[in-house]
Amino acid sequence: MAAGTNPELQNQVIYSVYLRNHTQEGSFLALVPDLDRIKALGTDIIWLMPIHPLGLKGRKGSLGSPYANRDYRSVNPEYGSLEDFKTLVEEIHRRGMKCIIDVVYNHTSPDSLLYEQHPDWFYKRPDGSPGNRVGDWTDVIDLDYGRRELWDYQTESLCFWAGIVDGFRCDVASFVPVDFWLKARAAVEKVRPGCIWLAESVHLSFGSWARRSGLYCARDTELFAAFDMEYEYDIRESFEAYLRGGLPLSAYTGLLNFQEAMYPANYNKLRFLENHDQPRIASLIKEPEALLNLTAMLYFLKGTTLIYAGQEFCDEHLPSLFDKDVFNRDTGRDISPVLSRLREIKRGFGSGDSFTASADDDLDIALMERESEGRRSLGVFSLKAKRGDVALDLADGEYTNLVDGSTVSVREGRLRWDGRPVMITVET
């Protein structure tokens, strides 16, 4: 694992904000009035999706993707000024939260300042023109990290932003050399001790395709040398297959155990039900009780929890990356109190807990356990909102369900259960 990783990140919550689509104004300062509400969800860290100017050439949609960056060292004027951005970060800090920003270091827009100034720092097609190694990313051109001058420029850029923010979510981090990230981390640490580093690692199939195609793509085990957290995309496809009915639940829980066995003892996988690249979970899971169980399981999993803005309102529509598309707060559903309660429960878990998972495939029930010195926590989650008694390794008796404060009973080694999510903690 990366030297200096803060174990407290294990039990924290990140809230992801796409400024363009968070408010009608879509600006830095327009986010400030919403910070208290975001904080009340139990948020520890606000992740701002890219704040930099966007390219014009080849842009997608009417406004362009925030991941087609035109200038690493300034802010998107549509969001406001650099001073406005600093004001926003100060307001985030004033409420006891931290702020991380997105950095997109694999590629830039075709009309980026960096390409205008240093065209030799970019990947070239056989005909000598700039391009990208992933064909459908038509609005970007790839950087060439064989150029050591690029390493210095990018590191200096990170050090500049580290003077303002608390960390970085690194887009497609697997495609950028781990040695670069290690160099950058060491330099940034001098500016922002304890800086937070989150890697967007890639899906298992995408990484395999990239390596078969001769592209550089770091494995998750390699990325952990430079990052505090990384995406759980290594097992995401199996989770999605389960949701579609293509795999039994036990296939997913088995992979959770595999993560626990193969990664360093203090590994941290970012846990999420949705993000800006994935379908809204409420669009896939229509049964409110099943969605509640999935959400409770999310907070029980070992690793930092991610909430994408709008998830608290069970919004079913995934906002466009390329157009103005403010998320819906008027869905008639608001699970904010549940998220706040789950955050309090998560705070009580140990940062070094051991973790195991199993499943009852007939009932689609996930059974999970976390254990650290002197404390054992068990979770029971009905992911299809089915009801039925389940075997549980607990002494017979009455227990408090931490999720809602109700009492649940264990008789003859079985939980008498009505399908609600259950979390129980006992002293060992």
Side-chain angles (χ1 to χ4, degrees), residues 51-80:
I51 62 168
H52 305 299
L54 312 185
L56 297 175
K57 186 176 181 180
R59 66 166 36 180
K60 294 181 177 180
S62 61
L63 298 175
S65 167
Y67 293 93
N69 183 346
R70 188 166 187 271
D71 180 12
Y72 286 113
R73 297 185 177 183
S74 64
V75 299
N76 186 343
E78 297 173 17
Y79 294 163

Short mmCIF file of all heavy atoms in Angstrom, two decimals, residues 51-80:
data_model
loop_
_atom_site.label_atom_id
_atom_site.label_comp_id
_atom_site.label_asym_id
_atom_site.label_seq_id
_atom_site.Cartn_x
_atom_site.Cartn_y
_atom_site.Cartn_z
N ILE A 51 -12.89 20.60 -12.85
CA ILE A 51 -13.20 22.03 -12.71
C ILE A 51 -12.49 22.86 -13.78
O ILE A 51 -12.59 24.09 -13.76
CB ILE A 51 -12.79 22.53 -11.32
CG1 ILE A 51 -11.27 22.37 -11.12
CG2 ILE A 51 -13.58 21.81 -10.23
CD1 ILE A 51 -10.72 23.08 -9.89
N HIS A 52 -11.78 22.23 -14.69
CA HIS A 52 -10.93 22.94 -15.63
C HIS A 52 -11.68 23.33 -16.91
O HIS A 52 -12.75 22.78 -17.20
CB HIS A 52 -9.71 22.09 -15.97
CG HIS A 52 -8.92 21.66 -14.77
ND1 HIS A 52 -8.34 22.55 -13.90
CD2 HIS A 52 -8.67 20.42 -14.27
CE1 HIS A 52 -7.74 21.88 -12.93
NE2 HIS A 52 -7.93 20.60 -13.12
N PRO A 53 -11.12 24.26 -17.70
CA PRO A 53 -11.76 24.65 -18.96
C PRO A 53 -11.86 23.45 -19.91
O PRO A 53 -11.01 22.56 -19.90
CB PRO A 53 -10.81 25.70 -19.53
CG PRO A 53 -10.03 26.20 -18.37
CD PRO A 53 -9.89 25.04 -17.44
N LEU A 54 -12.89 23.46 -20.74
CA LEU A 54 -13.13 22.36 -21.67
C LEU A 54 -12.71 22.76 -23.08
O LEU A 54 -12.81 23.91 -23.47
CB LEU A 54 -14.61 21.97 -21.67
CG LEU A 54 -15.28 21.77 -20.31
CD1 LEU A 54 -16.71 21.27 -20.51
CD2 LEU A 54 -14.49 20.80 -19.46
N GLY A 55 -12.30 21.75 -23.85
CA GLY A 55 -11.94 22.00 -25.23
C GLY A 55 -13.16 22.28 -26.09
O GLY A 55 -14.28 21.89 -25.76
N LEU A 56 -12.93 22.91 -27.22
CA LEU A 56 -13.98 23.17 -28.21
C LEU A 56 -13.92 22.17 -29.36
O LEU A 56 -14.94 21.73 -29.86
CB LEU A 56 -13.85 24.59 -28.75
CG LEU A 56 -14.03 25.73 -27.74
CD1 LEU A 56 -13.75 27.06 -28.40
CD2 LEU A 56 -15.44 25.71 -27.18
N LYS A 57 -12.73 21.80 -29.73
CA LYS A 57 -12.54 20.92 -30.89
C LYS A 57 -12.99 19.50 -30.56
O LYS A 57 -12.55 18.90 -29.58
CB LYS A 57 -11.07 20.91 -31.30
CG LYS A 57 -10.79 20.14 -32.58
CD LYS A 57 -9.32 20.27 -32.98
CE LYS A 57 -9.04 19.51 -34.26
NZ LYS A 57 -7.60 19.62 -34.66
N GLY A 58 -13.91 18.98 -31.36
CA GLY A 58 -14.36 17.61 -31.19
C GLY A 58 -15.26 17.38 -30.00
O GLY A 58 -15.55 16.23 -29.66
N ARG A 59 -15.76 18.45 -29.39
CA ARG A 59 -16.53 18.27 -28.15
C ARG A 59 -17.82 17.50 -28.41
O ARG A 59 -18.42 17.57 -29.48
CB ARG A 59 -16.83 19.60 -27.48
CG ARG A 59 -17.75 20.53 -28.22
CD ARG A 59 -18.28 21.68 -27.35
NE ARG A 59 -17.32 22.20 -26.39
CZ ARG A 59 -17.59 23.21 -25.55
NH1 ARG A 59 -18.78 23.79 -25.58
NH2 ARG A 59 -16.70 23.62 -24.69
N LYS A 60 -18.22 16.76 -27.40
CA LYS A 60 -19.44 15.97 -27.46
C LYS A 60 -20.59 16.76 -26.84
O LYS A 60 -20.41 17.48 -25.84
CB LYS A 60 -19.26 14.65 -26.71
CG LYS A 60 -18.24 13.71 -27.36
CD LYS A 60 -18.13 12.40 -26.59
CE LYS A 60 -17.17 11.43 -27.25
NZ LYS A 60 -17.06 10.15 -26.51
N GLY A 61 -21.79 16.60 -27.37
CA GLY A 61 -22.95 17.29 -26.86
C GLY A 61 -22.87 18.78 -27.09
O GLY A 61 -22.03 19.29 -27.85
N SER A 62 -23.73 19.51 -26.40
CA SER A 62 -23.77 20.96 -26.60
C SER A 62 -22.72 21.71 -25.80
O SER A 62 -22.30 22.80 -26.17
CB SER A 62 -25.16 21.49 -26.21
OG SER A 62 -25.45 21.21 -24.84
N LEU A 63 -22.26 21.10 -24.70
CA LEU A 63 -21.32 21.80 -23.81
C LEU A 63 -19.99 21.09 -23.65
O LEU A 63 -19.04 21.67 -23.13
CB LEU A 63 -21.97 22.00 -22.44
CG LEU A 63 -23.24 22.86 -22.41
CD1 LEU A 63 -23.84 22.88 -21.01
CD2 LEU A 63 -22.93 24.28 -22.88
N GLY A 64 -19.90 19.84 -24.05
CA GLY A 64 -18.64 19.12 -23.96
C GLY A 64 -18.46 18.36 -22.66
O GLY A 64 -19.08 18.67 -21.64
N SER A 65 -17.58 17.38 -22.71
CA SER A 65 -17.30 16.56 -21.53
C SER A 65 -16.31 17.25 -20.61
O SER A 65 -15.33 17.84 -21.07
CB SER A 65 -16.70 15.22 -21.97
OG SER A 65 -16.16 14.52 -20.86
N PRO A 66 -16.54 17.17 -19.29
CA PRO A 66 -15.55 17.73 -18.36
C PRO A 66 -14.23 16.97 -18.40
O PRO A 66 -13.24 17.46 -17.87
CB PRO A 66 -16.24 17.57 -17.00
CG PRO A 66 -17.19 16.44 -17.18
CD PRO A 66 -17.66 16.53 -18.59
N TYR A 67 -14.22 15.81 -19.03
CA TYR A 67 -12.99 15.02 -19.11
C TYR A 67 -12.19 15.29 -20.39
O TYR A 67 -11.21 14.61 -20.67
CB TYR A 67 -13.32 13.53 -18.95
CG TYR A 67 -13.81 13.25 -17.55
CD1 TYR A 67 -15.18 13.27 -17.25
CD2 TYR A 67 -12.92 13.06 -16.49
CE1 TYR A 67 -15.62 13.08 -15.95
CE2 TYR A 67 -13.36 12.87 -15.20
CZ TYR A 67 -14.71 12.88 -14.94
OH TYR A 67 -15.15 12.70 -13.65
N ALA A 68 -12.61 16.32 -21.14
CA ALA A 68 -11.83 16.81 -22.29
C ALA A 68 -11.24 18.16 -21.87
O ALA A 68 -11.72 19.23 -22.23
CB ALA A 68 -12.71 16.94 -23.52
N ASN A 69 -10.17 18.08 -21.11
CA ASN A 69 -9.57 19.22 -20.41
C ASN A 69 -8.74 20.07 -21.38
O ASN A 69 -7.91 19.55 -22.12
CB ASN A 69 -8.69 18.64 -19.29
CG ASN A 69 -8.05 19.69 -18.42
OD1 ASN A 69 -8.02 20.86 -18.76
ND2 ASN A 69 -7.51 19.26 -17.30
N ARG A 70 -8.92 21.39 -21.31
CA ARG A 70 -8.15 22.28 -22.18
C ARG A 70 -6.94 22.89 -21.47
O ARG A 70 -5.95 23.24 -22.10
CB ARG A 70 -9.03 23.39 -22.74
CG ARG A 70 -8.32 24.22 -23.81
CD ARG A 70 -9.25 25.11 -24.60
NE ARG A 70 -8.53 25.73 -25.69
CZ ARG A 70 -7.90 26.89 -25.60
NH1 ARG A 70 -7.93 27.57 -24.45
NH2 ARG A 70 -7.26 27.40 -26.63
N ASP A 71 -7.02 23.03 -20.15
CA ASP A 71 -5.92 23.69 -19.42
C ASP A 71 -5.88 23.17 -18.00
O ASP A 71 -6.83 23.36 -17.23
CB ASP A 71 -6.12 25.20 -19.44
CG ASP A 71 -5.01 25.95 -18.71
OD1 ASP A 71 -3.98 25.34 -18.38
OD2 ASP A 71 -5.19 27.16 -18.45
N TYR A 72 -4.77 22.55 -17.64
CA TYR A 72 -4.63 21.96 -16.31
C TYR A 72 -4.49 22.99 -15.19
O TYR A 72 -4.64 22.65 -14.02
CB TYR A 72 -3.41 21.05 -16.26
CG TYR A 72 -3.60 19.73 -16.99
CD1 TYR A 72 -2.88 19.44 -18.14
CD2 TYR A 72 -4.48 18.77 -16.52
CE1 TYR A 72 -3.03 18.22 -18.81
CE2 TYR A 72 -4.66 17.56 -17.17
CZ TYR A 72 -3.93 17.29 -18.31
OH TYR A 72 -4.10 16.09 -18.96
N ARG A 73 -4.18 24.23 -15.54
CA ARG A 73 -3.78 25.18 -14.50
C ARG A 73 -4.74 26.35 -14.34
O ARG A 73 -4.38 27.38 -13.77
CB ARG A 73 -2.36 25.67 -14.78
CG ARG A 73 -1.36 24.52 -14.72
CD ARG A 73 0.08 24.97 -14.87
NE ARG A 73 1.00 23.84 -14.73
CZ ARG A 73 2.31 23.95 -14.76
NH1 ARG A 73 2.89 25.13 -14.95
NH2 ARG A 73 3.08 22.88 -14.62
N SER A 74 -5.96 26.21 -14.82
CA SER A 74 -6.97 27.24 -14.61
C SER A 74 -8.32 26.57 -14.41
O SER A 74 -8.44 25.35 -14.54
CB SER A 74 -7.01 28.22 -15.79
OG SER A 74 -7.40 27.56 -16.97
N VAL A 75 -9.35 27.37 -14.10
CA VAL A 75 -10.68 26.83 -13.85
C VAL A 75 -11.61 27.18 -15.01
O VAL A 75 -11.39 28.15 -15.73
CB VAL A 75 -11.28 27.35 -12.52
CG1 VAL A 75 -10.41 26.92 -11.35
CG2 VAL A 75 -11.47 28.85 -12.55
N ASN A 76 -12.64 26.38 -15.16
CA ASN A 76 -13.65 26.60 -16.19
C ASN A 76 -14.38 27.91 -15.90
O ASN A 76 -15.03 28.04 -14.85
CB ASN A 76 -14.64 25.43 -16.18
CG ASN A 76 -15.64 25.49 -17.31
OD1 ASN A 76 -15.83 26.52 -17.95
ND2 ASN A 76 -16.29 24.36 -17.56
N PRO A 77 -14.29 28.91 -16.78
CA PRO A 77 -14.95 30.20 -16.49
C PRO A 77 -16.47 30.07 -16.37
O PRO A 77 -17.11 30.94 -15.77
CB PRO A 77 -14.56 31.07 -17.69
CG PRO A 77 -14.17 30.11 -18.77
CD PRO A 77 -13.59 28.92 -18.07
N GLU A 78 -17.06 28.99 -16.91
CA GLU A 78 -18.50 28.79 -16.74
C GLU A 78 -18.84 28.55 -15.27
O GLU A 78 -19.99 28.79 -14.86
CB GLU A 78 -18.95 27.60 -17.58
CG GLU A 78 -18.77 27.78 -19.07
CD GLU A 78 -19.07 26.50 -19.84
OE1 GLU A 78 -19.72 25.59 -19.26
OE2 GLU A 78 -18.67 26.40 -21.01
N TYR A 79 -17.88 28.09 -14.49
CA TYR A 79 -18.10 27.83 -13.08
C TYR A 79 -17.78 29.04 -12.20
O TYR A 79 -18.18 29.07 -11.03
CB TYR A 79 -17.25 26.66 -12.60
CG TYR A 79 -17.60 25.32 -13.21
CD1 TYR A 79 -16.69 24.26 -13.14
CD2 TYR A 79 -18.82 25.08 -13.84
CE1 TYR A 79 -17.00 23.00 -13.68
CE2 TYR A 79 -19.13 23.85 -14.38
CZ TYR A 79 -18.21 22.82 -14.30
OH TYR A 79 -18.53 21.59 -14.84
N GLY A 80 -17.03 29.99 -12.74
CA GLY A 80 -16.61 31.14 -11.95
C GLY A 80 -15.11 31.35 -12.05
O GLY A 80 -14.43 30.76 -12.89
#
